[in-house]
Amino acid sequence: MREVKIRPESPNDILTIQTVNTAAFGQPNEAQLVNKLRENATHFIPELSLVALMNNEIVGHILLTTNKIVDATGNEVESLSLAPMAVAPFLQKKGIGSQLVQHAIEKAKQLGYHSIIVLGHEKYYPKFGFKPASTFGIKAPFEVPDDVFMALELTTDALKNVAGMVHYPHEFMEV
Ligand SMILES: CC(C)(COP(=O)(O)OP(=O)(O)OC[C@H]1O[C@@H](n2cnc3c(N)ncnc32)[C@H](O)[C@@H]1OP(=O)(O)O)[C@@H](O)C(=O)NCCC(=O)NCCS
């Protein structure tokens, strides 16, 4: 496969990111979610909206936004949510998604974040070190099978003393 380059999004990429997300999901909802999250300065981190390019064309996108893990006493710990992620349909299953996940993890570490939460395929994300979030006492704010709601520690024992419910930016609840 030709070389894939990964870099943060730039303003000129916005329409293509929308196109790739719509094509990958077969509906506009996730593309609209990305557009709405981009307007939410509290949770959107431009360096963590990454695009994958082949021959200078955007063929994939991944977004990490901040969330909060809130325990029963109201203590809050900042974390990241991985969602959505998309690769152009004709280029799926060639490893581009995996490269996007790996880059996103490295970039999140560089920026000093401690953990990532994902709702996703239970066979895919464990390859990158994700474990069921329930292992850490972390719950989703909606009904979901245990093995598809996962968490990754970016620093040693980052989630050791963190438990509670993940609070997503409101844009996620409107998808
Ligand atoms: C999920 C997605 C981004 C993965 O990108 P990719 O470039 O195809 O990923 P890779 O080539 O690194 O890995 C592909 C593997 O992951 C599996 N996989 C990953 N996520 C999956 C999912 N949500 N459902 C089913 N399989 C999934 C594939 O079946 C495949 O497994 P295989 O190689 O053992 O057959 C891409 O398939 C896609 O855009 N799908 C549509 C949108 C979507 O469902 N996004 C994820 C939810 S946010």
Side-chain angles (χ1 to χ4, degrees):
M1 194 181 67
R2 283 195 208 92
E3 200 192 333
V4 175
K5 192 184 154 201
I6 295 177
R7 61 156 174 78
E9 70 167 39
S10 71
N12 286 342
D13 301 330
I14 289 173
L15 278 180
T16 319
I17 291 172
Q18 192 173 314
T19 305
V20 168
N21 273 282
T22 304
F25 285 95
Q27 57 177 33
N29 307 43
E30 288 75 11
Q32 288 163 0
L33 172 64
V34 172
N35 287 340
K36 285 184 192 163
L37 286 169
R38 193 180 284 111
E39 301 301 317
N40 186 335
T42 308
H43 294 279
F44 184 79
I45 305 134
E47 297 95 320
L48 293 179
S49 180
L50 300 175
V51 290
L53 299 110
M54 273 177 76
N55 298 331
N56 276 334
E57 299 279 340
I58 292 175
V59 295
H61 174 249
I62 190 167
L63 181 62
L64 301 184
T65 48
T66 63
N67 64 40
K68 284 191 175 115
I69 304 170
V70 185
D71 74 14
T73 63
N75 280 333
E76 294 181 354
V77 172
E78 191 177 53
S79 180
L80 293 169
S81 309
L82 188 170
M85 164 177 167
V87 169
F90 66 102
L91 286 167
Q92 289 175 5
K93 299 204 176 193
K94 295 184 194 303
I96 298 172
S98 296
Q99 290 190 50
L100 277 167
V101 175
Q102 276 154 0
H103 268 76
I105 290 171
E106 285 313 310
K107 196 75 198 167
K109 280 186 191 169
Q110 282 171 22
L111 293 174
Y113 289 95
H114 296 286
S115 63
I116 303 177
I117 306 289
V118 70
L119 171 63
H121 202 266
E122 74 279 10
K123 296 240 163 58
Y124 190 61
Y125 293 97
K127 292 181 201 170
F128 310 102
F130 284 85
K131 296 177 186 159
S134 59
T135 316
F136 305 104
I138 295 170
K139 296 189 186 83
F142 34 72
E143 283 293 316
V144 65
D146 189 68
D147 52 358
V148 302
F149 192 66
M150 292 168 269
L152 173 69
E153 293 179 308
L154 299 176
T155 51
T156 308
D157 291 336
L159 296 173
K160 195 175 176 189
N161 296 310
V162 178
M165 186 174 283
V166 178
H167 287 231
Y168 287 91
H170 66 88
E171 288 83 355
F172 277 99
M173 304 306 170
E174 296 157 11
V175 180

